[in-house]
Amino acid sequence: MKTRRPFIPQRKPIFIGCEGESEQGYAGFLQDLIFEADLHVHLNIELLKAGDPLARIELAIRRLAQLRKTRGTFADKFVLLDTDQLALSADRAHRARELATANDIRIVWQEPCFEAVLLRHFAGRTAHKPPTNQITQNAIRQEWPQYQKPMSRAELTRKIDREAVTRAAGVEIDLMALLRCIGLTPPEG
């Protein structure tokens, strides 16, 4: 009599496009949290080194087409983008939003940049919204004097945890949508 192989649930594949290496480290950190929570989700993390938001969305679409050939389709698709890039060209920013929507890609807007969202992970800083990158860099270094770009997932793990991610998501709507999708926060209610 043959013994049955144990059932292993298939992991839900989710595409995460990252503007920079710090976002890539953060997405890797989220994958670690997914593993710790024993969730059946796999993040396919892609660095989107391109110019502005439109160029990054176009690159994400090309990467998704390539990945579709070997990995199939993704249950959900996200791209992390800084809002400070929107001022470069209102027309290109509008086209980026339209193209993302047309391709079922959800944009996680980081206002004005990743470091500002990271700052909101710290207790007592969730309401802090620095208006510029420079002010953000100064504020993050007050909380984390050793901070420098890019931060790896291991470096992020030393300073933030799941509670910090949940705290930031409480004020970051787009981050909350991502966390709900991957199962790190309960669905709406």
Side-chain angles (χ1 to χ4, degrees):
M1 186 167 163
K2 289 185 180 180
T3 58
R4 290 183 122 182
R5 292 188 335 187
F7 174 73
I8 300 172
Q10 187 170 353
R11 295 190 180 274
K12 176 182 175 182
I14 298 175
F15 177 87
I16 306 283
C18 301
E19 182 173 299
E21 293 171 10
S22 292
E23 287 92 342
Q24 188 177 31
Y26 186 79
F29 169 69
L30 292 179
Q31 184 65 65
D32 293 343
L33 294 178
I34 289 166
F35 180 76
E36 288 171 14
D38 198 28
L39 299 171
H40 296 286
V41 174
H42 173 73
L43 302 181
N44 191 99
I45 303 164
E46 295 285 327
L47 185 59
L48 303 174
K49 288 238 178 194
D52 64 358
L54 178 58
R56 288 188 175 99
I57 295 296
E58 290 170 340
L59 180 55
I61 292 166
R62 288 193 302 275
R63 292 264 175 85
L64 284 161
Q66 292 168 341
L67 289 167
R68 198 173 299 119
K69 295 174 187 174
T70 57
R71 304 231 175 129
T73 59
F74 289 89
D76 291 286
K77 300 167 278 202
F78 293 87
V79 173
L80 284 66
L81 296 174
D82 294 349
T83 61
D84 69 343
Q85 297 288 305
L86 297 176
L88 299 175
S89 167
D91 179 55
R92 289 183 61 81
H94 178 71
R95 288 176 28 217
R97 286 183 178 106
E98 285 181 334
L99 192 57
T101 300
N103 287 275
D104 295 320
I105 296 172
R106 292 189 262 182
I107 299 175
V108 177
W109 290 111
Q110 305 170 127
E111 188 175 341
C113 60
F114 171 72
E115 286 75 21
V117 173
L118 186 58
L119 180 65
R120 292 188 275 282
H121 283 66
F122 294 100
R125 293 294 215 154
T126 55
H128 194 71
K129 298 215 178 222
T132 67
N133 282 351
Q134 188 57 51
I135 294 170
T136 299
Q137 298 303 321
N138 294 338
I140 194 81
R141 285 197 181 89
Q142 287 177 353
E143 291 294 327
W144 191 351
Q146 301 81 18
Y147 181 82
Q148 58 184 340
K149 292 172 84 166
M151 294 304 280
S152 69
R153 73 201 291 173
E155 292 167 315
L156 289 166
T157 300
R158 285 186 220 121
K159 200 66 176 174
I160 61 174
D161 57 13
R162 185 172 177 172
E163 181 182 331
V165 172
T166 303
R167 182 174 31 251
V171 295
E172 294 291 328
I173 295 167
D174 295 336
L175 179 59
M176 180 60 82
L178 171 60
L179 295 182
R180 281 193 175 121
C181 178
I182 61 181
L184 288 173
T185 59
E188 283 185 279

